[in-house]
């Protein structure tokens, strides 16, 4: 039996491994495109705060692992800090030195002096790297174990439920939801969960005939696979007993298609949920920050370690589950970084968009003001999400 201390260490190790890997890949996206354009990079850091390990490469880049392993950054020459906001005074000194002696160090390799389209590509490369990583990870899962899903064969309809009111019957097979193919019962569940109090047009096969039904999911509190409580849409349908799963194996090309499909579906789901928040149809309680990521990752790892199976089976299950979690979190990280806050990649892209349209960058004072506002909004958002996280963790114990 594993002790509580050992399970805690497994949980912490798994969380730090997954998060550090995702941050590294995100920052590697920025770094790779910057180096492709020949831009000078001062530091590549995993984590924030005081370095606990560092090494300077032949290219003059300081590679660092810092004390607080909750993020990372690439610091370009001329940056004022980890957020890549320009250091106006330092940049002016660099420009003045070059103008005084053009034969000295060139300013061509300074990020902030490069054309706006190059800067935009460097910034965009981080989130794009997260999406590419998700495709790679999902593809790896598809290649290794393939895919398994259950056909949407209805076996039960809960009494007095939205499904019963809509006219669903045992024996129906769901074909479409709002015009989207719904032959996978897991897709049906996820689609319904994201649309409480919103009508859905379903097409079912009933004795060889296509029947159209309209159903509105009702809010229902459930426990997710991790054990936390959440409120989702529900209609009261159950899978038919004895339904055999459909298993598919993939070669390299098929696995890549699967990876692209899974990543695309995850992005659509994320976009749908965020859109419902902005239109007031969701309260955002399902959104979380690093606390929820740590909780979910740690619990999945600990539960896998506690399973009463052979060590080899445990390692395979741990690898698969951590890979799937890493892919999902990578997508969330990419989307989060595209938020239009100046301290994030999305905010930089907003600045560059203004510069491209106006033909000149936003004034230094306005940029600095934007960074302050962005930091304040990000801090507020972090507090709100942490409150969500605390509520979620608390629900696991109730």
């Amino acid at each position: 039996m594993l002790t509580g201390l050992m399970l805690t260490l497994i949980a912490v190790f798994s969380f730090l491994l997954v998060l550090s890997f995702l941050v590294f890949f995100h920052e590697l996206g920025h770094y790779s495109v910057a180096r492709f354009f020949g831009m000078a990079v001062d530091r590549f850091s995993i984590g924030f705060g005081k370095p606990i390990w560092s090494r300077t490469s032949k290219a003059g880049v300081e590679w660092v692992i810092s004390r607080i392993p909750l993020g990372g950054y690439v610091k370009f020459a001329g940056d004022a800090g980890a957020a890549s906001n320009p250091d106006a005074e330092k940049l002016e000194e660099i420009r003045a030195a070059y103008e005084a002696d053009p034969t000295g160090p060139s300013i061509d390799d300074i990020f902030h002096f490069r054309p706006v389209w190059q800067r935009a590509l460097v910034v965009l490369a981080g989130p794009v790297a997260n999406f590419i990583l998700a495709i790679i990870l999902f593809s790896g899962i598809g290649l290794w174990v393939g895919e398994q899903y259950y056909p949407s064969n209805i076996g039960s309809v809960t009494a007095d439920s939205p499904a019963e009111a809509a006219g669903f019957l045992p024996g129906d097979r769901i074909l479409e939801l709002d015009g989207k193919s719904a032959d996978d019962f897991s897709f049906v569940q996820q689609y319904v969960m994201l649309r409480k109090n919103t009508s859905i047009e379903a097409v079912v096969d009933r004795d060889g005939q296509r029947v159209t039904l309209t159903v509105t999911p009702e809010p229902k509190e459930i426990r997710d696979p991790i054990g936390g409580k959440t409120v989702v849409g529900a209609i009261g349908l159950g899978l038919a007993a004895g339904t055999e799963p459909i298993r598919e194996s993939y070669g390299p090309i098929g696995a890549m298609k699967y990876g692209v499909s899974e990543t695309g579906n995850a992005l659509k789901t994320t976009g749908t949920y965020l859109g419902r928040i902005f239109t007031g149809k969701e309260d955002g309680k399902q959104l979380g920050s690093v606390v929820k990521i740590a909780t979910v990752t740690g619990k999945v790892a600990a539960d896998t370690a506690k399973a009463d199976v052979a060590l080899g089976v445990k390692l395979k299950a741990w690898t698969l589950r951590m890979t799937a979690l890493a892919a999902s979190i990578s997508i969330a990280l990419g989307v989060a970084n595209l938020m239009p806050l100046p301290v994030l990649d999305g905010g930089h892209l907003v600045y560059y968009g203004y510069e491209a349209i106006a033909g000149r960058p936003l004034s230094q004072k306005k940029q600095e003001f934007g960074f302050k506002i962005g930091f304040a909004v990000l801090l507020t958002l972090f507090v709100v999400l942490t409150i969500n996280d605390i509520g979620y963790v608390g629900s696991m114990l109730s």
Side-chain angles (χ1 to χ4, degrees):
M1 291 292 292
L2 294 172
T3 65
L5 176 59
M6 182 62 70
L7 290 174
T8 300
L9 290 176
I10 291 172
V12 172
F13 168 78
S14 299
F15 163 64
L16 293 179
L17 178 66
V18 169
L19 185 63
S20 297
F21 174 63
L22 297 181
V23 169
F24 172 79
F25 210 88
H26 176 93
E27 299 303 332
L28 188 64
H30 293 311
Y31 175 83
S32 298
V33 176
R35 295 302 296 160
F36 174 80
F37 287 127
M39 299 177 186
V41 177
D42 288 343
R43 173 179 286 187
F44 186 115
S45 177
I46 300 299
F48 298 103
K50 188 175 181 180
I52 58 176
W53 176 89
S54 66
R55 180 180 179 182
T56 302
S57 68
K58 293 181 179 180
V61 180
E62 183 185 16
W63 295 80
V64 172
I65 297 177
S66 300
R67 286 185 175 180
I68 306 174
L70 300 178
Y73 61 92
V74 172
K75 186 176 183 295
F76 299 103
D79 282 355
S84 288
N85 49 314
D87 185 332
E89 184 175 339
K90 185 175 181 180
L91 289 173
E92 189 57 38
E93 289 178 359
I94 293 173
R95 186 187 294 275
Y98 175 74
E99 290 176 350
D101 182 14
T103 62
S106 174
I107 63 172
D108 290 341
D109 59 354
I110 304 299
F111 171 83
H112 300 284
F113 294 151
R114 284 302 185 93
V116 65
W117 65 271
Q118 291 187 8
R119 283 177 277 145
L121 286 178
V122 170
V123 170
L124 188 60
V128 169
N130 283 123
F131 302 143
I132 292 174
L133 177 60
I135 292 173
I136 293 172
L137 294 177
F138 280 131
S139 298
I141 293 174
L143 188 62
W144 188 10
V145 299
E147 181 186 12
Q148 174 179 298
Y149 65 92
Y150 289 86
S152 303
N153 300 327
I154 305 305
S156 63
V157 179
T158 304
D160 300 322
S161 67
E164 183 183 62
F168 282 90
L169 298 175
D172 287 346
R173 180 166 62 91
I174 301 177
L175 302 176
E176 298 176 5
L177 293 177
D178 291 333
K180 300 175 179 63
S181 176
D183 57 349
D184 179 350
F185 192 70
S186 293
F187 169 80
V188 173
Q189 290 177 308
Q190 185 181 65
Y191 196 86
V192 169
M193 289 168 67
L194 276 172
R195 288 166 175 81
K196 58 178 180 282
N197 298 320
T198 302
S199 62
I200 298 173
E201 185 177 278
V203 177
V204 303
D205 180 305
R206 181 175 296 167
D207 299 325
Q209 300 294 317
R210 287 172 63 92
V211 178
T212 300
L213 307 171
T214 300
V215 61
T216 301
E218 62 183 2
K220 181 180 179 180
E221 184 177 80
I222 65 168
R223 286 193 180 275
D224 62 25
I226 307 301
K229 292 180 180 178
T230 184
V231 178
V232 300
I235 58 176
L237 291 179
L239 184 66
T243 300
E244 292 293 327
I246 295 176
R247 295 181 175 87
E248 294 189 13
S249 298
Y250 296 114
I253 295 178
M256 182 61 69
K257 290 180 179 179
Y258 171 76
V260 171
S261 175
E262 287 296 292
T263 301
N265 290 337
L267 282 170
K268 290 177 185 177
T269 299
T270 301
T272 297
Y273 185 69
L274 292 176
R276 288 176 63 83
I277 291 175
F278 285 114
T279 55
K281 297 177 181 178
E282 296 284 350
D283 57 13
K285 292 291 185 181
Q286 292 187 42
L287 294 178
S289 67
V290 66
V291 176
K292 187 171 184 178
I293 293 174
T295 301
V296 172
T297 306
K299 191 170 188 307
V300 169
D303 287 348
T304 304
K306 287 190 296 183
D308 188 18
V309 294
L311 179 60
V313 176
K314 285 185 182 181
L315 289 175
K316 180 179 179 180
W318 178 86
T319 303
L320 279 171
R321 291 171 180 174
M322 289 302 105
T323 301
L325 271 175
S328 299
I329 297 170
S330 186
I331 293 170
L333 184 62
V335 171
N337 270 279
L338 287 174
M339 289 193 300
L341 298 177
V343 292
L344 299 176
D345 296 332
H348 288 283
L349 292 174
V350 171
Y351 279 173
Y352 299 151
Y354 171 86
E355 183 176 344
I357 295 172
R360 65 181 186 281
L362 201 62
S363 70
Q364 188 63 34
K365 286 186 177 181
K366 290 180 179 178
Q367 287 194 47
E368 291 176 356
F369 179 74
F371 278 109
K372 291 177 181 178
I373 295 297
F375 181 78
V377 172
L378 190 62
L379 183 61
T380 301
L381 182 60
F382 178 78
V383 171
V384 171
L385 295 183
T386 300
I387 293 173
N388 282 355
D389 293 349
I390 293 172
Y392 177 79
V393 173
S395 74
M396 297 173 68
L397 306 175
S398 62

